[in-house]
Amino acid sequence: MFNLFRGSKITTTESDSWWYIFCLKCRQKEVGPGWEPKYWSKTCPHPYCPSFRQVARIMALLITVVLFWGVVITVIGADAKPGGQLFNIAVLVISAYLGGWVLRMLTLPALVGMLLVGIFYQNAGLISIEGKYKGLVSVLRKIALVVIFTRAGLDLDPVALKKLYCRVLILALVPWFFEAAVIAVIVYYLLSIPWPFAILCGSIIAAVAPAVVVPCLFRLRSKGYGVAKGIPTLIIAVAGIDDAASVIAFGVGTSMLFGSNTVTHDLLLSPISIAVGIMYGIVWGFIVKYFPERSDPYVVPLRIMMLTCGGLLAVLGFEETSLEGAGPLAVIISAFTSMYFWTKQGWNIENNPVATAFEIFWMICEPVLFGLTGTQIILNQLEIRFVTTAIACVIIAIVARICVTIIAATGSSLNFKEKLFISLSWMAKASVQAALGPAVLEASSGHSEVNVGHAQMIVTLCIISILLTAPAGAIIVSLLGPKLLTKAKPNSNEQWRRGPRPSIRDITLYNEDEENDTYVSNDQLECDKTKTDIVEIQNERI
């Protein structure tokens, strides 16, 4: 086959090789006019080599990073030089991103690679976080927490929730409660973790991972699988509510375990904390509805800044009071309330530029969160019995959740295959466990060594659950989706959607015809060009 994009000749055997497919997946053809040096396309054929635009983009980023590093060295000094703590943290984050990229190319969740990089750095002695940088790491985790929970709130579809709220609540809370209970019982009896810590551990691990589930669902939904019954929307909505339940339990549990008040005081304060978090979120979402004004040309950046600052204030501000559990809950509620009002004003949930911005923020925060979380694992301190018990605990809890989910879905319009699919899609663990697990360890600092030890066990359980379920969940959802779900035709149901909104890497890959209001994606252009290549080759042979 002749590659007309680069002017190079690629044989049929090469185009069928795994290396060619890997390169093609890694380097899509750039769309739109551009400039490149003479003979670039001959010496660097597509897709084996990146385009000049990609090389220039990477070089620009590298130069920017070097300049920024120079500024940081000037201001901070030795800590930003090679061997300093700040430098090591930066190298860890970059390495975590590269580790995630490798696994993403293998169609596995990138977060697993990021976790493994963090574990390697810690156990190889390449990083040691001490002193004031523990506070910096804590702030970075909280920023990542705000970003992931804001994304969860913005991904909730208000219209779908209004139609299916009863079924969604049942499928979200009942399986979550049973899985949390199973984990709590197992770790109490098998790992000798006290009941308060066991319940807190169960409530954290029971959360579903939108970071793993949503990309897989987008791929299935773009092909029409399950859209006739709104299954992708149902799964995403339940994941958001599931996370909110874990956030509430985390806030209540940490305040009761590590607070200085009496148990009676904490029990009375818990519903107040929940109510304050909900109220804060509703009020802030209502404010963002009117400010800025919807027709303001700067409405998008202003709404992004208001949601970000409001979320950071909620998480950091409530920590200074006895209502620390209200912060993460307020973030989810404010994002969902804002999305509700914006849809009323005409914004489409699938084409929301604010949500796209938070996807970009997550690209930055993801390696920070998972890379630093991986550093919590010290392999030579792990016991074989603890690891095997933790794996058995997670497997038993997942099986229990699958069974309870199928039972809870009884009476709905879903058939058995669809019930099995949605129950399997909620098995993956990731973002919530990576954010809340270390937060428990931070909250335990300054308390007895016994409490710190129990908090460390919770962190280890969270990481084991991520490593065990994230890749398995992504593989199972991707492979079983076409077999368990019914495929709908694009025009057969009003719930059909074109696919996920574009990320920052995709925004420039869309050609827009303003008169006809049509969009042509890069994939479609590649497909059309390939068809043209085949026709030309056939004509040459004739």
Side-chain angles (χ1 to χ4, degrees):
M1 180 182 294
F2 289 93
N3 190 327
L4 301 182
F5 296 131
R6 299 294 176 194
S8 60
K9 185 175 181 180
I10 298 176
T11 64
T12 304
T13 304
E14 289 176 335
S15 64
D16 293 336
S17 66
W18 69 270
W19 182 245
Y20 177 85
I21 296 172
F22 181 83
C23 292
L24 188 62
K25 181 179 179 181
C26 179
R27 303 185 183 98
Q28 289 186 339
K29 176 73 170 59
E30 297 285 349
V31 175
W35 176 88
E36 62 183 24
K38 192 176 182 181
Y39 303 117
W40 180 275
S41 59
K42 294 182 179 179
T43 56
C44 300
H46 175 80
Y48 294 111
C49 298
S51 66
F52 177 75
R53 179 182 296 179
Q54 292 171 325
V55 173
R57 184 186 302 143
I58 294 173
M59 289 300 300
L61 290 174
L62 289 176
I63 294 171
T64 303
V65 169
V66 171
L67 293 175
F68 181 75
W69 180 40
V71 173
V72 173
I73 290 179
T74 304
V75 175
I76 295 179
D79 284 346
K81 296 179 181 179
Q85 289 195 59
L86 185 61
F87 180 85
N88 291 339
I89 292 174
V91 172
L92 168 65
V93 172
I94 295 172
S95 301
Y97 178 82
L98 294 176
W101 177 83
V102 171
L103 263 73
R104 188 182 293 114
M105 290 298 102
L106 299 175
T107 66
L108 292 174
L111 55 92
V112 176
M114 297 172 186
L115 266 179
L116 293 175
V117 169
I119 294 173
F120 171 77
Y121 264 67
Q122 176 63 48
N123 292 273
L126 299 177
I127 190 169
S128 177
I129 302 173
E130 300 174 349
K132 60 183 178 181
Y133 289 101
K134 287 187 176 180
L136 173 64
V137 169
S138 176
V139 172
L140 291 176
R141 284 200 185 99
K142 290 167 185 174
I143 293 174
L145 186 73
V146 171
V147 172
I148 189 60
F149 285 142
T150 302
R151 281 193 64 193
L154 292 174
D155 279 333
L156 294 176
D157 190 339
V159 178
L161 284 179
K162 187 176 181 180
K163 293 179 180 179
L164 305 170
Y165 73 94
C166 184
R167 180 63 58 184
V168 167
L169 289 176
I170 293 174
L171 291 176
L173 298 180
V174 174
W176 176 89
F177 175 80
F178 271 88
E179 184 177 4
V182 169
I183 293 173
V185 171
I186 294 176
V187 299
Y188 173 77
Y189 285 106
L190 297 184
L191 297 177
S192 301
I193 297 179
W195 275 118
F197 285 93
I199 295 173
L200 181 61
C201 178
S203 63
I204 294 175
I205 296 180
V208 178
V212 176
V213 176
V214 172
C216 301
L217 287 176
F218 279 157
R219 288 193 293 269
L220 292 173
R221 189 176 65 186
S222 64
K223 299 176 182 178
Y225 290 106
V227 297
K229 296 183 180 180
I231 291 176
T233 300
L234 174 66
I235 293 174
I236 294 173
V238 168
I241 297 174
D242 209 77
D243 293 348
S246 291
V247 167
I248 295 172
F250 165 79
V252 174
T254 52
S255 62
M256 294 181 65
L257 281 171
F258 308 114
S260 57
N261 302 315
T262 62
V263 176
T264 304
H265 182 273
D266 289 331
L267 289 175
L268 294 175
L269 198 63
S270 297
I272 298 176
S273 177
I274 296 172
V276 169
I278 295 174
M279 185 61 64
Y280 179 98
I282 293 175
V283 171
W284 192 251
F286 193 79
I287 291 174
V288 178
K289 172 187 177 182
Y290 291 103
F291 307 102
E293 190 267 328
R294 70 177 74 176
S295 301
D296 191 322
Y298 302 102
V299 63
V300 174
L302 289 174
R303 284 178 172 177
I304 292 170
M305 288 189 293
M306 291 191 70
L307 264 189
T308 304
C309 294
L312 289 172
L313 178 63
V315 171
L316 299 176
F318 281 122
E319 280 192 353
E320 300 300 322
T321 68
S322 55
L323 301 174
E324 59 270 13
L329 179 61
V331 174
I332 292 181
I333 298 298
S334 62
F336 172 71
T337 306
S338 302
M339 190 66 245
Y340 172 77
F341 288 129
W342 295 341
T343 54
K344 293 288 186 180
Q345 294 175 354
W347 274 18
N348 191 333
I349 190 173
E350 291 297 324
N351 191 24
N352 180 3
V354 176
T356 301
F358 278 92
E359 289 181 359
I360 299 168
F361 296 159
W362 180 241
M363 293 178 191
I364 302 172
C365 293
E366 189 178 24
V368 176
L369 177 62
F370 288 99
L372 292 173
T373 300
T375 61
Q376 302 291 330
I377 293 294
I378 302 176
L379 297 178
N380 58 14
Q381 295 182 1
L382 293 178
E383 299 178 359
I384 299 298
R385 176 183 174 276
F386 177 85
V387 175
T388 54
T389 304
I391 294 174
C393 169
V394 173
I395 294 175
I396 294 172
I398 289 174
V399 173
R401 179 171 189 138
I402 291 173
C403 297
V404 172
T405 301
I406 294 175
I407 296 173
T410 303
S412 64
S413 60
L414 304 174
N415 57 42
F416 178 77
K417 289 185 177 180
E418 292 165 341
K419 294 176 185 177
L420 180 60
F421 176 80
I422 63 173
S423 63
L424 291 172
S425 66
W426 291 328
M427 65 177 288
K429 319 294 179 186
S431 307
V432 175
Q433 291 73 22
L436 298 185
V440 175
L441 186 60
E442 292 174 7
S444 67
S445 61
H447 291 76
S448 65
E449 293 184 2
V450 176
N451 286 347
V452 174
H454 292 149
Q456 182 63 53
M457 293 174 73
I458 292 177
V459 175
T460 306
L461 280 164
C462 289
I463 294 176
I464 291 175
S465 69
I466 296 172
L467 294 175
L468 188 64
T469 63
I475 293 172
I476 289 173
V477 170
S478 300
L479 294 181
L480 295 185
K483 297 180 179 180
L484 298 179
L485 299 179
T486 303
K487 186 174 183 179
K489 296 181 180 179
N491 297 323
S492 65
N493 192 285
E494 62 181 4
Q495 294 189 30
W496 174 270
R497 294 174 180 174
R498 293 173 52 245
R501 54 183 167 269
S503 68
I504 187 63
R505 293 172 295 182
D506 302 324
I507 288 175
T508 57
L509 303 183
Y510 281 76
N511 291 338
E512 180 177 352
D513 186 342
E514 296 181 354
E515 295 182 359
N516 299 325
D517 194 25
T518 58
Y519 298 84
V520 181
S521 68
N522 182 55
D523 292 338
Q524 184 63 42
L525 291 173
E526 291 280 357
C527 181
D528 294 341
K529 196 69 176 177
T530 302
K531 292 179 180 178
T532 303
D533 294 347
I534 295 173
V535 171
E536 291 186 1
I537 292 173
Q538 292 176 346
N539 292 336
E540 290 177 1
R541 291 178 178 177
I542 294 175

